[in-house]
Amino acid sequence: MEGTLFGNGERTGNVDVVTLAMNMVCHGVDSGLDFRDIGKVRETYELLTGMKVHERMPYAGDLVFTAFSGSHQDAISKGMAWRDAGKSGKRWDVPYLPIDPEDLGREYESDVIRINSQSGKGGIAFILKQNFGMGLPDKMKEEVGYLMKGISDQRHKELAPEDIYRIFEDHYINQREIFDIPECHFRQVEDGIVAEVTIEQNKERRVIETSGNGRLDAVSNAIKLYFGISYELSVYEEHAVSRGSSSKAAAYVGILCNGKMYWGVGIDEDIIKSSIAALVSAGNKTARGENVKEGREERIVDIMRYVQNHYKDVTLENLSENFHLSSPYLSKYIKEHTGATFQEAVKKARMKKARAMLRETNQTVESIAAGVGYETVEHFNRLFKKMYGMTPMQFRRQHK
């Protein structure tokens, strides 16, 4: 039989001796050839011929014992099963199944998954977890997977772990294009947290004072007030970073705005700072997605903050007195700058508080209705259902 070692174009039409011989051994036929150090064979071949063995060449290529994310990923379990099947009493001169890389003087790259345009979300999440200690929320994995696959396809190349993390960092950690929050101060009050949030935009800083059920909610409310955008903090997860510095924590924030999810990630030694950093990244993506590039006038921010802080009993008349504006002018001013009437703004503030109480307390619906400023529970129920498409009790069962 005439052949060439790796069928690499030395002579067209000749058989690939290495692949043929190893396939024979896999089927229980002793080829009589010794490939226990196939790396040395390949090295000598490349030195003498000046040709390169392709990375996907059976048995000898660089990627033979590397897992690919996607349809090839089951090769890990199959390879291990075939290897174990040939373990007992094997010798080179006795037929066995040579799937174990050690049989060929190689190592199985179990910690490497190559990412290309066909990769699945599981492989990409595995790389971020295995190499960088980032445990993505389940709801975030699909978006990150599509992002990496799209970039791989655009570049026409596979992505190394370092490439993946760099892309992840740019898209989810370092989002500060529109604004940043360099400083926050908190104080505990009877029904939550009051925050003084410094928002920096275009090298200018403004301090927004807001309240919330917790620190992150208070900072989120400051962002909403400043930009005049409405969204829901849909996902929050945190964990210690399992690679590198053990003192760091990673936080993940998912913002739902107009049916679209925007993700942000923060990493810091302080879990509060990492949470705020994640919120800032997600907030920047939300603002950009909603085409909001500038903060609102300071006066409208102050007016809306007053409404949110006095939602239970605020009236247009006492709001007018507080800001030294006539009621007709103030009503028009609110509508022009928020797109909502004064009554709609009050209702929105009340319902936000009611939703938080339904989620976080065991108070009755009647008590909550009175607590947010409605005299009758029937009126509260009607308004709540009209706004959210479900009754307060249905909301509580869904979110408790």
Side-chain angles (χ1 to χ4, degrees):
M1 180 192 71
E2 182 180 1
T4 57
L5 278 178
F6 296 100
N8 213 25
E10 299 165 65
R11 292 186 63 184
T12 302
N14 283 351
V15 71
D16 173 354
V17 172
V18 171
T19 301
L20 177 61
M22 296 309 298
N23 286 349
M24 289 171 62
V25 175
C26 285
H27 287 282
V29 179
D30 187 358
S31 70
L33 300 177
D34 186 342
F35 288 116
R36 278 175 292 185
D37 191 355
I38 203 166
K40 184 65 175 178
V41 175
R42 170 185 163 177
E43 180 183 339
T44 304
Y45 165 86
E46 292 182 333
L47 176 66
L48 296 178
T49 67
M51 292 187 288
K52 295 288 292 182
V53 172
H54 194 276
E55 60 186 5
R56 289 184 174 83
M57 187 72 189
Y59 304 104
D62 287 338
L63 303 184
V64 171
F65 297 107
T66 300
F68 280 77
S69 169
S71 59
H72 301 81
Q73 204 165 353
D74 61 354
I76 297 176
S77 58
K78 289 182 180 178
M80 301 301 282
W82 292 337
R83 176 202 67 189
D84 294 339
K87 278 290 187 184
S88 80
K90 69 178 181 183
R91 302 196 320 274
W92 186 258
D93 56 351
V94 176
Y96 66 100
L97 303 179
I99 301 301
D100 192 331
E102 295 175 4
D103 299 335
L104 303 174
R106 302 191 58 184
E107 294 181 355
Y108 189 85
E109 299 179 60
S110 59
D111 61 338
V112 178
I113 293 184
R114 303 288 289 267
I115 300 301
N116 55 37
S117 60
Q118 304 303 314
S119 299
K121 63 181 181 181
I124 293 164
F126 175 85
I127 282 184
L128 289 169
K129 177 68 173 178
Q130 190 79 357
N131 293 64
F132 307 103
M134 305 300 294
L136 305 188
D138 288 340
K139 293 182 178 180
M140 187 181 183
K141 291 177 182 177
E142 185 172 10
E143 178 181 307
V144 176
Y146 279 122
L147 170 67
M148 300 300 173
K149 289 164 64 177
I151 292 176
S152 174
D153 191 42
Q154 184 181 12
R155 295 181 181 179
H156 304 291
K157 60 180 286 190
E158 294 160 0
L159 300 178
E162 293 74 19
D163 297 325
I164 291 169
Y165 187 76
R166 196 177 302 113
I167 294 167
F168 180 79
E169 197 173 41
D170 289 343
H171 281 76
Y172 298 103
I173 299 177
N174 297 331
Q175 289 290 319
R176 301 294 186 275
E177 178 185 334
I178 297 176
F179 75 97
D180 198 3
I181 295 180
E183 192 175 350
C184 290
H185 298 283
F186 304 99
R187 70 176 186 271
Q188 185 82 41
V189 294
E190 184 177 349
D191 59 346
I193 294 289
V194 171
E196 291 182 358
V197 181
T198 300
I199 295 181
E200 183 176 51
Q201 187 179 33
N202 300 325
K203 297 182 179 180
E204 295 184 359
R205 295 187 174 191
R206 279 169 57 186
V207 177
I208 310 294
E209 183 177 299
T210 56
S211 60
N213 306 316
R215 289 177 172 83
L216 197 63
D217 185 50
V219 177
S220 177
N221 287 337
I223 295 172
K224 293 177 183 179
L225 269 176
Y226 181 80
F227 287 105
I229 55 178
S230 180
Y231 61 77
E232 181 181 349
L233 274 174
S234 181
V235 179
Y236 174 78
E237 293 187 19
E238 63 183 53
H239 65 75
V241 176
S242 57
R243 290 292 179 108
S245 173
S246 59
S247 63
K248 288 192 174 181
Y252 307 83
V253 166
I255 287 177
L256 184 63
C257 183
N258 291 327
K260 184 174 181 180
M261 188 74 82
Y262 298 92
W263 291 97
V265 180
I267 303 174
D268 197 277
E269 295 177 359
D270 186 319
I271 188 59
I272 300 299
K273 290 182 179 179
S274 68
S275 302
I276 293 171
L279 176 62
V280 169
S281 283
N284 270 271
K285 296 176 76 173
T286 305
R288 187 169 62 249
E290 296 298 303
N291 200 31
V292 176
K293 298 180 180 179
E294 297 291 338
R296 298 191 293 184
E297 291 180 4
E298 191 167 354
R299 175 189 277 182
I300 190 63
V301 171
D302 290 341
I303 290 171
M304 298 313 297
R305 182 175 66 241
Y306 186 93
V307 171
Q308 290 188 10
N309 291 340
H310 301 83
Y311 60 86
K312 185 176 179 179
D313 53 10
V314 64
T315 64
L316 187 59
E317 288 69 27
N318 59 40
L319 188 64
S320 300
E321 291 177 9
N322 190 76
F323 287 93
H324 310 291
L325 299 168
S326 69
S327 295
Y329 176 82
L330 182 58
S331 179
K332 182 181 178 182
Y333 181 78
I334 292 173
K335 178 69 174 178
E336 286 179 350
H337 286 79
T338 69
T341 65
F342 167 75
Q343 289 80 8
E344 289 169 342
V346 173
K347 182 173 69 174
K348 187 175 180 180
R350 289 177 173 179
M351 291 301 173
K352 182 181 184 299
K353 182 64 176 179
R355 289 189 355 149
M357 295 172 73
L358 287 164
R359 279 195 305 262
E360 299 164 13
T361 75
N362 292 319
Q363 293 185 44
T364 64
V365 174
E366 289 81 1
S367 176
I368 291 173
V372 298
Y374 292 103
E375 294 182 359
T376 68
V377 68
E378 292 79 14
H379 183 48
F380 169 69
N381 283 337
R382 283 195 302 272
L383 292 176
F384 192 97
K385 186 171 184 179
K386 185 177 181 180
M387 182 172 284
Y388 301 115
M390 64 183 76
T391 67
M393 284 304 298
Q394 288 171 334
F395 178 88
R396 168 170 276 173
R397 285 193 292 267
Q398 185 173 319
H399 293 85
K400 259 294 190 180

